[in-house]
Amino acid sequence: MVKICCIGAGYVGGPTMAMIALKCPDIEVAVVDISVPRIAAWNSEVLPIFEPGLDEVVKACRSRNLFFSTDVEKHVSEAGIVFVSVNTPTKTRGLGAGKAADLTYWESAARMIADVSKSDKIVVEKSTVPVKTAEAIEKILSHNNKGVSFQILSNPEFLAEGTAMEDLKSPDRVLIGGRETPAGRKAVQALKAVYAHWVPEDRILTTNLWSAELSKLAANAFLAQRISSINAMSALCESTGADVAEVAYAIGKDSRIGSRFLNASVGFGGSCFQKDILNLVYICECNGLIDIANYWKQVVQINDYQKSRFVQRVVSSMFNTVSGKKIAVLGFAFKKDTGDTRETPAIDVCNGLLGDKALLSIYDPQVTEQQIRRDLSMNKFDWDHPQHLQPLNLSDSVNLVQVSKDAYEATKNAHGLCILTEWDEFRKLDYQKIYQQMQKPAFVFDGRNVANVVELRKIGFIVYSIGKPLDPWMRDLPAASSF
Ligand code: UDX
Ligand code: ADP
């Protein structure tokens, strides 16, 4: 029986391995992690991550051909294929700080693989890593091997959170990069045979190692660029009276542009977009391509601009101060249908409002109070370390934060409400009831365009919705300073 081991039981490793176990009953899959609580959770009734459809798949396979364990070395040594899906944070100090990927966890995983391996292995890069990481890993493995040989493959993951199980079940494509040598090609075929259990052959693309590594960064950069482009348009729409949803619809009808990923928002979040673009910027700089680096840097800068523009709208609308005012924050996750808060725009927006001494009352259907408090106390980029290594910066402002059990509790006596995640339930709230229990004038700041602006204005709210024609209240107020 083929044995697969995945190092790192996170958002990528967990769901991906669960799908492989489901579709390949003839393969034994072990997911290993150094985090004891994380593995305990994978073995419990309440999985450590929320992902529609994941519970059912894990329950069907667990203890059959899917195992979760902290015995990293045993499972690695027994496996023929080892996926590596560990954290790759952005460096916060030293060479490349603020841009380059910190490969500490990758390197320690590679050294461990070399140390415990007694048979030949295929090592698969699953975490997003800078281009040419495979080469570095190859060197660590080949200089430390004990007579066994390793083939490195790059098999980037394209799943999006919230739809991970669907994306894994019917992927647009699976990409496998390998060395162009007989042994490299054989390894590519071995991994292809795993996916071929359920993915049509024409959707399994094989390339050289560097193309696969770069394609992952390029795909995320292109997607993020679309969002920054429509967000840039949203600011112009507000200044001119155009409606960004109409503009997005109109341009999306052009089949060369396409309609997806054109929703203006308070900004993109998630563990990949910013990190991958910063990585791309760093790689360009290292290769002397400064103009190209600056081009991609703008995608992140517009995203930061969008978040600070939103905060400025809130503060300037409310008589230029939110100090001591209760503001309800609906949604904290970086998008709907996930409990993930990594790089969520809500962190920057909340910190911006807290900087002005607002009293926040936050509600999210999936994010725990503990997580919200952690996120608001963390330094930039620290989220991407295993939890026990995340340094916390316990600031006083976290005392200004209350976490509520529902939207109605959060909005009671509030002066304003900000929608920061597009959860479906926020479309169906009883806004009449919410209006009655808020201070007047009552403000809604919709960072996801989920509320019905016309209805809300009829109720009496002063409404700001990203990229929509402005409420008369806001027309002459300052929109944003530049970043
Ligand atoms: C992304 C890529 O889509 C995926 O292929 C890759 O493997 C990992 O990174 P993910 O971060 O899970 O996936 O979520 P995604 O759906 O791409 O959304 C990212 C962010 O962009 C979210 O904050 C989302 O709210 C925002 N977004 C997305 C918009 O603001 N507007 C849009 O039109 C689409
Ligand atoms: P992703 O979103 O890429 O899956 P996560 O942060 O959710 O990233 O998961 C990465 C996991 O990798 C964490 O659970 C962390 O504990 C684990 N990890 C990091 N380094 C190692 C290592 N050397 N051995 C085993 N697990 C590791």
Side-chain angles (χ1 to χ4, degrees), residues 7-14 32-35 38 72 85-87 105-106 108-109 112 127-128 161 271 275 340 342 383-388:
I7 307 177
Y11 283 90
V12 172
V32 297
D33 202 294
I34 40 175
S35 163
R38 205 158 211 188
V72 180
S85 185
V86 300
N87 319 64
Y105 303 108
W106 237 107
S108 89
M112 185 271 300
S127 359
T128 316
E161 285 172 36
S271 67
K275 187 168 80 176
D340 193 355
R342 294 177 295 175
W383 55 269
D384 202 3
H385 291 271
Q387 214 175 58
H388 64 285

Side-chain angles (χ1 to χ4, degrees), residues 366-377:
Q366 281 296 333
V367 184
T368 62
E369 170 158 7
Q370 191 195 17
Q371 188 61 46
I372 291 174
R373 292 196 183 281
R374 275 190 90 81
D375 286 333
L376 294 178
S377 329

